[in-house]
Amino acid sequence: MKSILEALQPLGRALMLPIAVLPIAGLLLRLGQPDLLDIAFLSAAGDAIFSHLGLLFAIGVATGFARDGNGAACLAGVVCFLVATEAGKVFLAVPADVVAGTATPTLEIVAAAWKAKAIARLDVPIGILSGLAGGLLYNRFSAIKLPEYLAFFGGRRFVPIVSGVAGLVFAVIFGAGFGILNAGVDQLSLAVSGSGAIGLFLFGLFNRLLLVTGLHHLVNNIVWFVAGDYHGTTGDLRRFFAGDPNAGAFMAGFFPVMMFGLPAACLAMYHAALPERRKAVGGMLFSLALTSALTGVTEPIEFSFMFLAPLLYAVHAVLTGLSMALMNALGVKLGFGFSAGLLDYVLNYGKATRPLLLLPVGAVYFALYYGLFRFFIRRFDLATPGREAEASVVAAAPVAGGRGAAFAQALGGGANLTTVSACTTRLRLIVVDQSAVDDAALKALGARGILRPSNAALQVVLGPIADVVAVEIRDALALGGPAVVARAAPVATIAAVPDTSAVRLSDAAFAALGGEDNIVTASRHPGRVRIELADDAAIDEPRLARLGLRATARPAAGQLHLLGTDATLATLIHTPA
């Protein structure tokens, strides 16, 4: 199970990259519409993003899965998507009733329009699969060597080529199998729309429960971008912005929780805090409450009590499910481009159905959250912020290199980091050794929560600054310096590998790694040797274990990092006589 969570972690992260552009898409689309500024080109600009979400998912997922986020992977995802969608149209048979009575000069135009609309129903699934193909094929083939007469097409240039072949496979699957797949989407849509209050309750409940693993994005993407159909537009979110009066049921229920409920929970935790600590936690809780109410970013609040008081989180998950069912029963349909905060509520008020009902429901939810949180905290003496056992917290010592270097050091140094990335509110990391991570130092640096989905996967909840911090960590590791190099430099894919570091391995290293022919490239970096292999299975594990290394890391197929002291690594490199 843990390996499954570790494998899905990059997908959850990658899905957030294209979703991050939806706020600007929603803003442009709404500002340009007649009920607001009535500026056609703004509305067209926003609609362009919603109309090409499949392409954006192909780019975003490829970036997330490529071991170093290289642009070749993005290009490969685009190539795969374009080949799959355009070649797939050839397999589609236009129904006779669509072209009945159409004049011959316009017959091809009508048929082409029907095919484009049909394949668009599956654009998000095709985009996600194309992105997976682009990213994974980049990891496998970006270092491939071809015969000299084909050398120009080797390495990264080969990746878009092989991704085009993958696109042909998808074209056959989605084109020839369109009838079956389209019927499946219809059945999914009917199941979702027919699930009623129970389905909405379960969606809200599991949306919050899956938040712990970061896999709630997978469920959200099915409901928000695939389920349902409105004149060829699919997904609850996209249909809402396309004007579907029945869309918004899978978004409306979040507004009472995020705008009213969780801010009330913060107030309850503030009042329940010990008097001598109330001032210390007050600023933090106020900031978290304001962020939730305005923008709908709630993870920092939820992680502040998720592990300290799991009972409260269970109550919160149930209340979220109930809110989804209640808002639907009242006929309220609300939508968002980013999340269920005040900004999205005001912006999309004109497209909503019965939006004013949010205010009385929100008032009830404010009272419910405040009352239930106060009751359970007092009744069971729950360790919410300001009531937990007071530990001797040492302020994070200044580290040369700034915040990024400080986080790198708290995470065990560069040698302990296999991948460094982020989604909306959390760092998503793969580490060599979980015990090398300093939880106390991370909390001193502002971490709201720390999750370990598997033996190697690590998530650090920071709030909206997570992506900026991830960039700073990668920059710090790329620059090196005492703060991060003292524990060895980064492994894996967080920085580009300079060509000047290429080395020839020693005979002992060749023997352990399957021979000289099995080595594609080898490069020396502080604290590690980075190796690209032709065949992972050729490694002689017993001999590798006898090389005296501190650890090894395998970030992706065909890639190996040997970690050790300078003296140990020196024995792996051939020294000319």
Side-chain angles (χ1 to χ4, degrees):
M1 180 64 179
K2 285 187 174 183
S3 61
I4 294 175
L5 291 176
E6 185 177 325
L8 289 176
Q9 177 169 288
L11 179 59
R13 177 191 72 241
L15 290 174
M16 285 308 299
L17 187 57
I19 292 173
V21 305
L22 291 185
I24 187 61
L27 181 65
L28 292 171
L29 182 65
R30 287 295 296 128
L31 289 178
Q33 290 181 337
D35 60 323
L36 290 179
L37 300 183
D38 194 15
I39 302 176
F41 85 91
L42 285 182
S43 181
D47 184 62
I49 296 175
F50 282 109
S51 298
H52 295 87
L53 273 182
L55 181 60
L56 295 178
F57 273 102
I59 296 170
V61 174
T63 302
F65 268 83
R67 58 172 176 259
D68 56 4
N70 189 271
C74 303
L75 179 60
V78 171
V79 169
C80 185
F81 176 80
L82 294 176
V83 170
T85 52
E86 294 302 315
K89 292 176 185 177
V90 176
F91 293 91
L92 301 183
V94 181
D97 60 315
V98 172
V99 295
T102 303
T104 302
T106 59
L107 188 63
E108 290 188 6
I109 297 174
V110 172
W114 182 89
K115 289 182 177 183
K117 193 173 184 178
I119 207 73
R121 293 198 69 199
L122 303 173
D123 66 338
V124 170
I126 295 174
I128 292 173
L129 289 174
S130 297
L132 283 170
L136 295 175
L137 290 173
Y138 175 84
N139 293 340
R140 177 66 181 86
F141 293 110
S142 62
I144 191 172
K145 289 186 176 180
L146 298 178
E148 188 172 345
Y149 59 90
L150 294 174
F152 176 81
F153 300 102
R156 291 170 180 168
R157 294 189 185 96
F158 183 76
V159 180
I161 298 173
V162 72
S163 295
V165 177
L168 290 174
V169 175
F170 292 154
V172 174
I173 294 172
F174 285 93
F178 178 79
I180 298 173
L181 295 172
N182 189 52
V185 172
D186 287 339
Q187 290 302 313
L188 173 65
S189 302
L190 289 173
V192 169
S193 60
S195 61
I198 294 177
L200 286 163
F201 170 79
L202 291 175
F203 171 72
L205 176 70
F206 284 103
N207 178 277
R208 293 298 91 187
L209 294 179
L210 287 173
L211 177 74
V212 181
T213 63
L215 300 181
H216 56 303
H217 301 308
L218 304 182
V219 178
N220 292 346
N221 274 266
I222 294 173
V223 173
W224 289 345
F225 302 115
V226 178
D229 185 282
Y230 179 71
H231 303 313
T233 301
T234 59
D236 198 52
L237 189 151
R238 291 202 291 183
R239 288 187 291 112
F240 177 84
F241 283 100
D244 185 354
N246 297 314
F250 287 87
M251 295 179 283
F254 289 116
F255 282 87
V257 174
M258 297 180 177
M259 285 179 60
F260 298 92
L262 286 173
C266 288
L267 181 62
M269 289 188 285
Y270 171 75
H271 286 154
L274 301 175
E276 64 273 17
R277 300 183 63 188
R278 196 169 291 164
K279 184 177 179 181
V281 300
M284 176 194 76
L285 291 172
F286 175 78
S287 173
L288 298 182
L290 188 63
T291 299
S292 176
L294 289 178
T295 68
V297 175
T298 62
E299 286 192 12
I301 297 178
E302 290 160 321
F303 278 91
S304 72
F305 63 83
M306 181 185 291
F307 301 109
L308 292 174
L311 175 61
L312 291 181
Y313 195 77
V315 170
H316 165 53
V318 171
L319 288 175
T320 301
L322 291 174
S323 178
M324 302 294 296
L326 174 62
M327 293 292 273
N328 187 62
L330 294 173
V332 181
K333 299 291 190 293
L334 298 170
F336 49 73
F338 178 62
S339 192
L342 178 63
L343 299 178
D344 266 293
Y345 174 72
V346 172
L347 181 64
N348 300 311
Y349 182 91
K351 295 189 76 70
T353 301
R354 310 185 78 181
L356 285 176
L357 282 180
L358 172 64
L359 302 181
V361 173
V364 170
Y365 255 68
F366 188 95
L368 264 177
Y369 266 79
Y370 182 84
L372 289 173
F373 269 59
R374 281 299 300 271
F375 170 77
F376 283 113
I377 292 171
R378 295 288 188 183
R379 177 68 177 80
F380 298 102
D381 191 25
L382 300 178
T384 49
R387 295 173 61 86
E388 70 271 34
E390 194 164 11
S392 55
V393 179
V394 180
V399 175
R403 182 169 63 177
F407 269 96
Q409 191 177 68
L411 292 166
N416 196 45
L417 293 168
T418 300
T419 59
V420 178
S421 57
C423 62
T424 306
T425 58
R426 61 181 88 178
L427 297 176
R428 291 175 179 256
L429 313 154
I430 301 296
V431 299
V432 175
D433 181 7
Q434 292 278 15
S435 65
V437 177
D438 189 337
D439 289 14
L442 289 173
K443 289 178 180 177
L445 289 167
R448 305 295 186 194
I450 299 170
L451 297 172
R452 291 178 168 86
S454 73
N455 290 334
L458 177 69
Q459 299 178 6
V460 182
V461 181
L462 296 176
I465 65 170
D467 193 58
V468 176
V469 172
V471 172
E472 291 176 357
I473 294 172
R474 289 194 291 266
D475 289 345
L477 293 173
L479 291 172
V484 293
V485 177
R487 303 186 192 183
V491 244
T493 62
I494 44 184
V497 181
D499 294 336
T500 55
S501 59
V503 295
R504 175 178 172 79
L505 300 179
S506 64
D507 291 342
F510 279 140
L513 298 172
E516 185 173 353
D517 291 340
N518 195 40
I519 308 301
V520 178
T521 62
S523 53
R524 176 74 164 88
H525 305 272
R528 65 183 172 124
V529 173
R530 181 182 188 275
I531 299 168
E532 298 282 348
L533 299 167
D535 182 9
D536 288 331
I539 296 176
D540 187 331
E541 298 291 349
R543 287 192 176 185
L544 186 63
R546 291 195 294 270
L547 293 180
L549 299 167
R550 176 177 174 268
T552 61
R554 294 174 169 87
Q559 190 176 98
L560 177 68
H561 295 267
L562 309 179
L563 314 178
T565 64
D566 288 343
T568 300
L569 297 180
T571 65
L572 306 180
I573 298 171
H574 172 72
T575 303

